[in-house]
Amino acid sequence: MARARWGRSWLSKGRPDHPPIAFAGRSGTAVQIAFLDREAERIGLTRGQGVAEARAICPSLDVLPADPAADRALLEALADWCDRYTPLVALDGDDGLHLDITGCAHLHGGERALLDGVLSSLFALGIEARGAISSSVGLSWAAAHFGDGGVIDTDAAQETLAPLPVAALRLPEAVVGPLGRVGLKTVGDLFPLPRAPLARRFGPLPLLRLDQALGLEDEPISPRLPVPMLSAERRLFDTVRSEDDVLALTAHLAGTLREGLERRGEGGRLFALLLFRVDGRVFRIHAATSTPLRDPQRIALVFRERLAAVHDDLDAGYGFEIVRLCVLRSEAFEAVQEGFCAGADGNGPLSAFAERVVARFGPESLFAVTLPESHVPERVAHLVSVLELWEGGPGAGEGLGAGAARPAKSTSAQDRPPKDRPLGDRPLRLFAPPEPVETVAGVPEDAPKTFRWRRSFHRITRTEGPERIAAEWWIDGEDQPSRDYFRVEDDAGRRFWLFREGIYRDDAARPRWFIHGVFA
């Protein structure tokens, strides 16, 4: 478990004789220190201290305004950068990261080499950090915040924690203050005390934090991003900049992933391509497919369209040093014997076309009609993204240039009639929403004799109906009125679909008439 902490002392790089630096922000009516560098910590300044008091202690203090949004963006960018060491990266507060390096340290020369590499690389990026590696989150946090960091052996946990203040156990001030008033100022003061009286006096939190720091209680971290089920990467001696080189590496990595997918009997449905630039910036490009894929060339073709779509946002700078391809979601892959003349899957060309279109123009660029189970005319058909239709869920994931597929409302649809109803009973075009009309009916509950729609007067010569369609109370509620539909034909031979919303009653509002569709 690795823990890194940094302040904002990166501004002092290149200024060896700089005064102490602090970042201040307003908290209520007071202006307090939010971040400070090591020189400011050395002279006794602390976070949360008032700026006036800090200037009295150090008149040469260089105070700069704090920018929480920029700090958060920086922390997110550094978390992306740390993905090169492990996919299990979690944010910790405003100035730290947790990295679960279990099984990853040997890839970087061991724990000591990994920690030295992380800190030196951060310093090269202009960030002075302090880090620690231990067997528990709490111990790493304490050593990084209140100690000197470094690699801590499991047997040295108590020795490392003993001289640190009780605040190193991640205790709130409401607990640290009472502990200090009874003389319990360091973690070592807690070791010889009986646990039951301590828990009754100060609650269970101090003992829980102490056990977590000593590794007696498990404390897993929650990664900020989903962990890929399969991944493959290339660390390059010479950086690459062109899209063709990136795509060639993508095809190579897809071929590496193919063996793992075959062992699982699955194919990838959502892929992520991570491009690590030499200056620390990371690009994440997601691509979804309409069918499970293993073929490296088809995977590379999908990413060719994605790279073309995000071309303006993909700045290679001085080049990419690491290229990684991940499988974020997969499904069962049905192996089919191909024929001699064409693919055995007749939908193959259509799905490949859909993948390229969606990858280039986004998940809302291509839609298909679905037929939900409903008898309400405006609900019997609507448009959804093809990826959502094929996979039954969000299609394109998140990431650079990608968005989530969402159902779209249709402005016209074709009703699906029951098997015992002729096709001519429903119009080919529906209006969404239905448009109000002015009608003249002979008697209540009867069909209209004339109606006015869009400033045109229509005299009805033939009618058929009514057909009552009740509202779906589990969706619309019990107060939604029913509809009586009529198929009508005017004196010019034009056929319309009208309905009356509500029924005539003495205690009810007057029903309204609408036109819902037009027959061919």
Side-chain angles (χ1 to χ4, degrees):
M1 184 70 63
R3 171 64 167 77
R5 173 184 179 266
W6 50 84
R8 298 295 296 273
S9 58
W10 52 273
L11 287 178
S12 64
K13 187 181 180 183
R15 296 166 54 191
D17 298 327
H18 73 283
I21 297 177
F23 286 79
R26 184 170 296 277
S27 177
T29 59
V31 180
Q32 299 177 343
I33 294 178
F35 298 98
L36 64 166
D37 67 352
R38 288 189 178 183
E39 184 64 20
E41 289 181 340
R42 189 185 62 79
I43 62 177
L45 303 183
T46 59
R47 294 177 61 175
Q49 191 174 29
V51 172
E53 180 184 355
R55 286 192 183 278
I57 297 174
C58 179
S60 62
L61 180 66
D62 189 2
V63 180
L64 300 174
D67 188 348
D71 293 339
R72 189 68 178 184
L74 173 64
L75 191 62
E76 294 278 356
L78 290 173
D80 286 336
W81 177 83
C82 287
D83 278 352
R84 66 187 61 212
Y85 299 104
T86 172
L88 299 174
V89 181
L91 301 180
D92 178 53
D94 298 328
D95 64 344
L97 294 173
H98 283 303
L99 281 69
D100 190 341
I101 59 172
T102 304
C104 302
H106 69 282
L107 301 175
H108 304 277
E111 294 179 349
R112 171 59 64 181
L114 187 150
L115 181 60
D116 292 342
V118 171
L119 298 181
S120 61
S121 297
L122 288 174
F123 186 80
L125 294 175
I127 299 173
E128 185 180 354
R130 188 161 62 236
I133 295 179
S134 73
S135 58
S136 68
V137 173
L139 181 56
S140 297
W141 192 94
H145 275 79
F146 295 91
D148 297 327
V151 179
I152 305 170
D153 294 332
T154 304
D155 298 337
Q158 288 196 11
E159 179 183 352
T160 303
L161 289 171
L164 302 181
V166 291
L169 295 178
R170 297 174 292 167
L171 298 175
E173 185 59 33
V175 177
V176 173
L179 287 172
R181 284 194 291 270
V182 298
L184 303 176
K185 297 184 178 181
T186 65
V187 179
D189 296 334
L190 303 178
F191 290 150
L193 298 179
R195 298 175 69 90
L198 188 65
R200 285 196 300 267
R201 179 75 180 273
F202 302 102
L205 186 59
L207 294 178
L208 174 63
R209 292 303 193 190
L210 180 60
D211 290 343
Q212 288 176 341
L214 294 175
L216 303 178
E217 287 283 346
D218 189 23
E219 185 183 4
I221 68 172
S222 299
R224 54 187 290 267
L225 297 175
V227 180
M229 51 175 296
L230 289 173
S231 65
E233 71 176 26
R234 282 289 300 272
R235 295 177 179 266
L236 307 172
F237 181 77
D238 292 328
T239 60
V240 296
R241 298 182 60 186
S242 68
E243 290 186 5
D244 291 339
D245 292 337
V246 171
L247 289 171
L249 288 170
T250 302
H252 174 75
L253 295 175
T256 305
L257 294 176
R258 183 170 189 168
E259 181 179 354
L261 290 171
E262 288 177 347
R263 287 197 302 268
R264 294 169 175 259
E266 297 176 339
R269 287 297 307 272
L270 180 61
F271 297 87
L273 180 65
L274 278 67
L275 305 175
F276 294 81
R277 209 165 64 180
V278 293
D279 62 352
R281 186 175 179 184
V282 181
F283 294 90
R284 297 178 183 272
I285 305 174
H286 293 77
T289 63
S290 59
T291 56
L293 285 189
R294 291 178 185 171
D295 184 16
Q297 296 305 320
R298 282 194 63 181
I299 296 173
L301 182 61
V302 173
F303 276 104
R304 178 181 295 276
E305 302 298 338
R306 293 295 301 124
L307 291 178
V310 301
H311 177 78
D312 295 337
D313 297 327
L314 188 64
D315 182 11
Y318 291 103
F320 302 111
E321 60 179 348
I322 302 176
V323 179
R324 180 185 299 164
L325 181 63
C326 305
V327 180
L328 300 182
R329 187 167 62 249
S330 64
E331 290 182 3
F333 185 89
E334 182 179 356
V336 179
Q337 177 66 43
E338 295 186 355
F340 291 102
C341 300
D345 183 5
N347 294 327
L350 179 59
S351 61
F353 166 77
E355 290 164 4
R356 297 185 62 181
V357 172
V358 172
R360 172 68 70 90
F361 301 107
E364 296 187 357
S365 61
L366 198 60
F367 295 92
V369 178
T370 61
L371 302 175
E373 294 294 334
S374 176
H375 60 268
V376 178
E378 53 263 42
R379 291 178 183 156
V380 296
H382 65 270
L383 300 178
V384 297
S385 167
V386 292
L387 290 180
E388 182 177 359
L389 177 65
W390 279 328
E391 71 182 6
E398 299 176 354
L400 179 63
R406 298 184 299 274
K409 293 184 178 180
S410 172
T411 56
S412 66
Q414 181 176 355
D415 189 8
R416 179 177 55 176
K419 294 181 179 180
D420 57 350
R421 180 183 298 168
L423 292 176
D425 286 358
R426 291 291 185 266
L428 293 179
R429 181 184 179 189
L430 295 181
F431 299 117
E435 300 182 9
V437 296
E438 300 176 4
T439 65
V440 175
V443 294
E445 309 293 335
D446 198 2
K449 301 299 183 181
T450 62
F451 70 94
R452 185 179 299 275
W453 172 55
R454 293 183 179 178
R455 299 183 180 181
S456 298
F457 181 79
H458 300 268
R459 186 181 303 277
I460 298 174
T461 59
R462 299 174 62 188
T463 63
E464 185 179 1
E467 175 190 356
R468 177 160 295 181
I469 298 180
E472 296 172 337
W473 57 266
W474 56 93
I475 299 177
D476 304 315
E478 297 182 355
D479 297 333
Q480 186 71 16
S482 60
R483 300 174 179 178
D484 288 338
Y485 280 85
F486 294 87
R487 291 179 292 277
V488 302
E489 181 178 325
D490 66 2
D491 51 6
R494 292 168 294 195
R495 302 180 68 234
F496 306 93
W497 206 34
L498 305 179
F499 72 87
R500 181 183 59 239
E501 186 178 71
I503 58 177
Y504 286 96
R505 288 179 181 174
D506 295 337
D507 58 345
R510 182 179 178 85
R512 299 182 299 168
W513 285 87
F514 296 87
I515 181 171
H516 204 163
V518 178
F519 292 91

